[in-house]
Amino acid sequence: MSIIIKTWNTGAHYTEHGQRIAATAVEGGIVFLDIDRNIDGFIPLARGGAHVRNLREQTQHNYDFGNYTSAWEHAEVLGKLAAAIWEIK
């Protein structure tokens, strides 16, 4: 089963690459990875709350306000997010 991953660069200057983030919807919420700040997170959402069409906005809003916990339980997904980030040109 494939997952839909959204990637983006916020343009913030945390590293020479900016601030690259990837996110995907999982059961119960969103898993995201900010590879340049070495931060990952799980954003719990109400059932049916993660929508692919606004995944970036949902992720960025909750990340900015600290509405997330560690995503360590989603290690396999985090690996896929990291791989997707490295594909950003």
Side-chain angles (χ1 to χ4, degrees):
M1 180 173 160
S2 66
I3 61 174
I4 296 172
I5 297 174
K6 298 287 186 176
T7 59
W8 65 95
N9 193 322
T10 68
H13 299 286
Y14 288 106
T15 71
E16 66 272 11
H17 303 290
Q19 182 185 23
R20 298 164 294 166
I21 298 174
T24 191
V26 296
E27 181 69 34
I30 296 169
V31 173
F32 74 90
L33 175 64
D34 176 343
I35 204 160
D36 294 300
R37 295 182 67 201
N38 197 29
I39 296 172
D40 64 68
F42 173 74
I43 301 165
L45 297 173
R47 194 162 114 193
H51 301 286
V52 173
R53 71 177 182 276
N54 61 357
L55 188 61
R56 176 180 173 170
E57 292 81 8
Q58 289 178 314
T59 302
Q60 197 67 59
H61 173 81
N62 284 284
Y63 182 27
D64 289 346
F65 286 94
N67 298 330
Y68 62 91
T69 59
S70 173
W72 66 269
E73 292 181 346
H74 299 278
E76 183 177 332
V77 173
L78 290 170
K80 292 177 182 180
L81 296 179
I85 288 173
W86 290 115
E87 296 292 319
I88 295 175
K89 301 285 185 226

